[in-house]
Amino acid sequence: MSHTAPARNRPPLTASMWTSRTAVHLVLLIGALYSVLPLIWLVTSATKNVNDFSTTGAFDLGAFSLGDNLTALFAEQDGIFLYWVRNSVLYAVVGAVLGSLVCAACGYAVAKLEFPGRRTLFAVTLAGVLVPTTALALPLYLLASQLRLVDTFWAVFLPVLTNPFGVYLARAFADASVPDEVLEAARVDGAGELRTFFTIGLPMMRNGLITIVLFQFVAIWNNFFLPLVMLTDPRLFPMNLGIFQWSTRVTQFPQYNPLVITGSLLAVIPLVAAFVLLQRQWRTGLAAGSTK
């Protein structure tokens, strides 16, 4: 006859104070406020004139001067802010699209094609993820100087077409979403590798490609140090570098304060719009990539 050992007296299982639903919601609320409050401050401050900055609180609305601030912003230095907007769009939009295609092609090749040194090449690419972009600024400047590209559009545009992290994501997306059987069927039908990539591989990687485009767009739009090193002509500056140059004059010339704040607000709007409009695609892409 078997007997069951007496059960030990254990305390009831209770959720930890730090992992309870209330604590998690509180942490998320703090994180949301940390992210949203600076944006709210930017919106309220963009409506103020020069005098309101010293007479009103951070989140108070003064005399509504947003229209005057926008007019002054686009008129300053013969409308140089429009050049900065154009440059940011060219750097970020065109660079994100072309750079994402390069990353997708590289990731697809590493994931689906057999060639000598494939693993070594991918290991070197992963090592590139660990290198901060600021550490590459000086070598890129010396290389651009040898090619006589310094202080030109190409000095900033060409380096942003490569992104090791984008290649890593593209490899994960290709592994997760492109079946080998479909590629073999295309090869049997006589399709070349380039045609197979553009007609089969790339459409299957669509959600992942949008995620890479979004990451590329944000990284290029916020790129500051590379243009600072490469450019001296103000007409080639992106928005963030141009606004920074104005911000250095605020202490001597307070009239630049509304221009800096209003310009910063306009610089943030495309990032917010991109995340809101593409949220379904990039969330799906991240979920697909996380399975690998």
Side-chain angles (χ1 to χ4, degrees):
M1 184 177 180
S2 61
H3 5 210
T4 306
R8 298 180 180 177
N9 294 326
R10 296 178 180 175
L13 295 177
T14 57
S16 171
M17 179 183 65
W18 299 107
T19 59
S20 65
R21 179 175 299 181
T22 303
V24 172
H25 287 175
L26 181 62
V27 172
L28 291 176
L29 178 61
I30 294 174
L33 290 176
Y34 179 80
S35 303
V36 172
L37 285 179
L39 184 59
I40 296 175
W41 175 84
L42 201 60
V43 172
T44 57
S45 298
T47 64
K48 299 179 182 180
N49 55 34
V50 178
N51 297 327
D52 288 337
F53 280 99
S54 57
T55 58
T56 59
F59 299 100
D60 295 336
L61 292 173
F64 191 81
S65 305
L66 180 60
D68 295 336
N69 293 340
L70 289 172
T71 302
L73 176 68
F74 289 108
E76 183 67 24
Q77 294 182 231
D78 297 325
I80 197 171
F81 189 78
L82 289 174
Y83 287 94
W84 298 345
V85 174
R86 179 204 62 184
N87 296 335
S88 292
V89 170
L90 289 176
Y91 293 140
V93 176
V94 181
V97 173
L98 294 181
S100 298
L101 287 176
V102 172
C103 292
C106 294
Y108 172 86
V110 172
K112 297 299 177 180
L113 302 182
E114 293 289 343
F115 57 89
R118 181 180 69 161
R119 296 185 181 275
T120 303
L121 179 62
F122 186 63
V124 173
T125 303
L126 287 181
V129 177
L130 305 177
V131 180
T133 55
T134 53
L136 300 176
L138 182 58
L140 286 174
Y141 175 82
L142 296 176
L143 182 60
S145 179
Q146 292 292 327
L147 298 174
R148 297 184 179 181
L149 295 177
V150 175
D151 206 23
T152 66
F153 169 83
W154 304 106
V156 176
F157 182 75
L158 292 179
V160 302
L161 296 181
T162 59
N163 184 359
F165 184 65
V167 176
Y168 167 75
L169 287 179
R171 179 186 181 274
F173 294 138
D175 271 338
S177 58
V178 183
D180 293 332
E181 295 80 6
V182 177
L183 300 181
E184 288 299 330
R187 294 177 183 125
V188 170
D189 290 340
E193 294 297 341
L194 192 62
R195 181 181 177 184
T196 301
F197 168 68
F198 279 105
T199 60
I200 296 177
L202 203 59
M204 288 184 172
M205 297 167 59
R206 183 175 63 89
N207 288 333
L209 184 63
I210 291 175
T211 304
I212 298 173
V213 168
L214 187 59
F215 283 174
Q216 281 277 91
F217 175 77
V218 173
I220 300 172
W221 190 270
N222 292 329
N223 190 12
F224 173 79
F225 196 68
L226 183 64
L228 178 65
V229 172
M230 293 290 190
L231 303 176
T232 57
D233 184 359
R235 291 179 179 266
L236 296 175
F237 287 176
M239 292 173 67
N240 54 3
L241 180 57
I243 293 172
F244 169 76
Q245 295 288 343
W246 279 355
S247 68
T248 60
R249 309 174 187 176
V250 168
T251 54
Q252 294 181 334
F253 306 99
Q255 63 269 23
Y256 276 99
N257 215 346
L259 304 183
V260 171
I261 298 299
T262 308
S264 299
L265 177 62
L266 296 183
V268 168
I269 290 176
L271 298 177
V272 176
F275 272 94
V276 171
L277 295 177
L278 301 176
Q279 60 176 328
R280 178 176 299 179
Q281 285 78 10
W282 67 261
R283 288 171 62 185
T284 303
L286 283 180
S290 64
T291 61
K292 285 290 179 180

